[in-house]
Short mmCIF file of all heavy atoms in Angstrom, two decimals:
data_model
loop_
_atom_site.label_atom_id
_atom_site.label_comp_id
_atom_site.label_asym_id
_atom_site.label_seq_id
_atom_site.Cartn_x
_atom_site.Cartn_y
_atom_site.Cartn_z
N PRO Z 224 60.50 109.58 162.70
CA PRO Z 224 60.87 109.73 164.11
C PRO Z 224 62.37 109.49 164.34
O PRO Z 224 63.07 109.00 163.47
CB PRO Z 224 60.08 108.59 164.77
CG PRO Z 224 60.12 107.49 163.73
CD PRO Z 224 60.05 108.20 162.39
N ILE Z 225 62.81 109.85 165.55
CA ILE Z 225 64.17 109.49 165.97
C ILE Z 225 64.23 107.96 166.08
O ILE Z 225 63.23 107.32 166.42
CB ILE Z 225 64.53 110.17 167.31
CG1 ILE Z 225 66.02 109.98 167.63
CG2 ILE Z 225 63.63 109.71 168.45
CD1 ILE Z 225 66.54 110.87 168.75
N HIS Z 226 65.40 107.38 165.74
CA HIS Z 226 65.52 105.92 165.82
C HIS Z 226 66.87 105.52 166.41
O HIS Z 226 67.71 106.37 166.73
CB HIS Z 226 65.27 105.29 164.44
CG HIS Z 226 66.15 105.80 163.35
ND1 HIS Z 226 67.50 105.52 163.29
CD2 HIS Z 226 65.87 106.57 162.26
CE1 HIS Z 226 68.02 106.09 162.22
NE2 HIS Z 226 67.06 106.74 161.58
N THR Z 227 67.05 104.22 166.54
CA THR Z 227 68.24 103.66 167.18
C THR Z 227 69.52 104.09 166.46
O THR Z 227 70.54 104.32 167.11
CB THR Z 227 68.14 102.11 167.19
OG1 THR Z 227 66.87 101.76 167.72
CG2 THR Z 227 69.23 101.49 168.03
N GLY Z 228 69.47 104.22 165.14
CA GLY Z 228 70.65 104.66 164.38
C GLY Z 228 71.11 106.05 164.78
O GLY Z 228 72.32 106.31 164.89
N HIS Z 229 70.18 106.98 165.01
CA HIS Z 229 70.53 108.33 165.46
C HIS Z 229 71.27 108.27 166.79
O HIS Z 229 72.29 108.95 167.00
CB HIS Z 229 69.27 109.19 165.67
CG HIS Z 229 68.53 109.54 164.42
ND1 HIS Z 229 67.18 109.29 164.26
CD2 HIS Z 229 68.93 110.12 163.26
CE1 HIS Z 229 66.79 109.71 163.08
NE2 HIS Z 229 67.83 110.21 162.44
N LEU Z 230 70.74 107.46 167.71
CA LEU Z 230 71.32 107.39 169.06
C LEU Z 230 72.70 106.73 169.04
O LEU Z 230 73.62 107.18 169.72
CB LEU Z 230 70.37 106.64 169.99
CG LEU Z 230 68.99 107.30 170.14
CD1 LEU Z 230 68.02 106.36 170.83
CD2 LEU Z 230 69.10 108.61 170.90
N LEU Z 231 72.84 105.68 168.25
CA LEU Z 231 74.13 105.01 168.13
C LEU Z 231 75.17 105.96 167.51
O LEU Z 231 76.32 106.02 167.97
CB LEU Z 231 73.99 103.74 167.29
CG LEU Z 231 75.26 102.91 167.12
CD1 LEU Z 231 75.80 102.44 168.46
CD2 LEU Z 231 75.00 101.72 166.22
N ALA Z 232 74.76 106.71 166.51
CA ALA Z 232 75.66 107.68 165.86
C ALA Z 232 76.12 108.74 166.87
O ALA Z 232 77.31 109.09 166.93
CB ALA Z 232 74.96 108.34 164.68
N ALA Z 233 75.19 109.25 167.65
CA ALA Z 233 75.52 110.27 168.65
C ALA Z 233 76.49 109.72 169.70
O ALA Z 233 77.45 110.38 170.09
CB ALA Z 233 74.24 110.78 169.31
N GLU Z 234 76.24 108.50 170.14
CA GLU Z 234 77.11 107.89 171.17
C GLU Z 234 78.50 107.60 170.61
O GLU Z 234 79.51 107.82 171.28
CB GLU Z 234 76.46 106.60 171.69
CG GLU Z 234 77.20 105.93 172.82
CD GLU Z 234 77.28 106.74 174.10
OE1 GLU Z 234 76.60 107.78 174.23
OE2 GLU Z 234 78.05 106.33 175.00
N ALA Z 274 63.46 109.56 173.82
CA ALA Z 274 64.62 108.75 173.40
C ALA Z 274 65.86 109.03 174.24
O ALA Z 274 66.64 108.12 174.51
CB ALA Z 274 64.92 109.01 171.93
N MET Z 367 81.12 104.60 161.03
CA MET Z 367 79.86 104.12 161.60
C MET Z 367 79.61 102.68 161.17
O MET Z 367 79.81 102.35 160.01
CB MET Z 367 78.70 104.96 161.08
CG MET Z 367 78.29 106.11 161.98
SD MET Z 367 77.66 105.61 163.59
CE MET Z 367 76.07 104.93 163.16
N ILE Z 370 73.92 100.32 159.66
CA ILE Z 370 72.62 100.11 160.32
C ILE Z 370 71.54 100.38 159.28
O ILE Z 370 71.42 101.50 158.80
CB ILE Z 370 72.44 101.08 161.51
CG1 ILE Z 370 73.53 100.87 162.54
CG2 ILE Z 370 71.06 100.89 162.15
CD1 ILE Z 370 73.58 101.93 163.59
N ILE Z 372 68.49 101.19 159.15
CA ILE Z 372 67.27 101.79 159.70
C ILE Z 372 67.17 103.22 159.20
O ILE Z 372 68.16 103.96 159.23
CB ILE Z 372 67.28 101.80 161.25
CG1 ILE Z 372 67.44 100.39 161.82
CG2 ILE Z 372 66.03 102.46 161.81
CD1 ILE Z 372 67.61 100.34 163.32
N SER Z 373 65.98 103.61 158.75
CA SER Z 373 65.77 105.00 158.36
C SER Z 373 64.39 105.44 158.83
O SER Z 373 63.49 104.61 158.99
CB SER Z 373 65.87 105.18 156.84
OG SER Z 373 64.72 104.65 156.21
N ILE Z 377 60.67 103.51 158.70
CA ILE Z 377 59.84 103.38 159.90
C ILE Z 377 58.44 103.92 159.64
O ILE Z 377 57.44 103.29 159.97
CB ILE Z 377 60.50 104.09 161.11
CG1 ILE Z 377 61.74 103.31 161.55
CG2 ILE Z 377 59.52 104.25 162.26
CD1 ILE Z 377 62.63 104.03 162.54
N ILE Z 387 57.71 98.10 164.30
CA ILE Z 387 58.98 98.84 164.30
C ILE Z 387 59.74 98.59 165.60
O ILE Z 387 60.70 99.29 165.90
CB ILE Z 387 58.75 100.36 164.11
CG1 ILE Z 387 57.86 100.92 165.22
CG2 ILE Z 387 58.20 100.66 162.73
CD1 ILE Z 387 58.04 102.38 165.49
N GLN Z 388 59.30 97.60 166.35
CA GLN Z 388 59.96 97.31 167.61
C GLN Z 388 61.43 97.01 167.37
O GLN Z 388 61.79 96.36 166.38
CB GLN Z 388 59.28 96.14 168.31
CG GLN Z 388 59.67 96.06 169.77
CD GLN Z 388 58.63 95.31 170.60
OE1 GLN Z 388 57.81 94.58 170.06
NE2 GLN Z 388 58.66 95.50 171.90
N TYR Z 389 62.28 97.54 168.24
CA TYR Z 389 63.74 97.43 168.19
C TYR Z 389 64.38 98.37 167.16
O TYR Z 389 65.60 98.50 167.13
CB TYR Z 389 64.23 95.99 167.99
CG TYR Z 389 63.56 95.01 168.93
CD1 TYR Z 389 62.77 93.98 168.45
CD2 TYR Z 389 63.69 95.17 170.32
CE1 TYR Z 389 62.13 93.11 169.33
CE2 TYR Z 389 63.05 94.31 171.20
CZ TYR Z 389 62.28 93.28 170.70
OH TYR Z 389 61.64 92.43 171.57
N MET Z 390 63.58 99.00 166.30
CA MET Z 390 64.13 99.99 165.38
C MET Z 390 64.21 101.36 166.07
O MET Z 390 65.02 102.20 165.70
CB MET Z 390 63.26 100.09 164.12
CG MET Z 390 63.22 98.80 163.32
SD MET Z 390 62.03 98.88 161.95
CE MET Z 390 63.04 99.69 160.70
N VAL Z 391 63.35 101.55 167.06
CA VAL Z 391 63.34 102.76 167.87
C VAL Z 391 63.43 102.32 169.33
O VAL Z 391 63.07 101.19 169.66
CB VAL Z 391 62.04 103.59 167.64
CG1 VAL Z 391 61.95 104.08 166.20
CG2 VAL Z 391 60.79 102.82 168.03
N PRO Z 392 63.88 103.21 170.23
CA PRO Z 392 63.88 102.85 171.65
C PRO Z 392 62.45 102.55 172.12
O PRO Z 392 61.48 103.08 171.56
CB PRO Z 392 64.42 104.10 172.34
CG PRO Z 392 65.14 104.86 171.29
CD PRO Z 392 64.45 104.55 170.00
N ASP Z 393 62.33 101.73 173.16
CA ASP Z 393 61.01 101.37 173.69
C ASP Z 393 60.20 102.61 174.07
O ASP Z 393 58.98 102.64 173.89
CB ASP Z 393 61.15 100.45 174.91
CG ASP Z 393 61.61 99.05 174.52
OD1 ASP Z 393 61.53 98.70 173.32
OD2 ASP Z 393 62.05 98.31 175.43
N VAL Z 395 60.26 105.54 172.68
CA VAL Z 395 59.75 106.17 171.46
C VAL Z 395 58.62 105.33 170.88
O VAL Z 395 57.58 105.86 170.45
CB VAL Z 395 60.88 106.37 170.42
CG1 VAL Z 395 60.33 106.89 169.10
CG2 VAL Z 395 61.93 107.33 170.97
#
Side-chain angles (χ1 to χ4, degrees):
I225 189 167
H226 56 70
T227 310
H229 292 127
L230 299 168
L231 182 60
E234 184 64 10
M367 265 296 288
I370 300 169
I372 302 174
S373 74
I377 289 169
I387 59 155
Q388 196 156 18
Y389 311 118
M390 297 173 84
V391 297
D393 289 344
V395 174

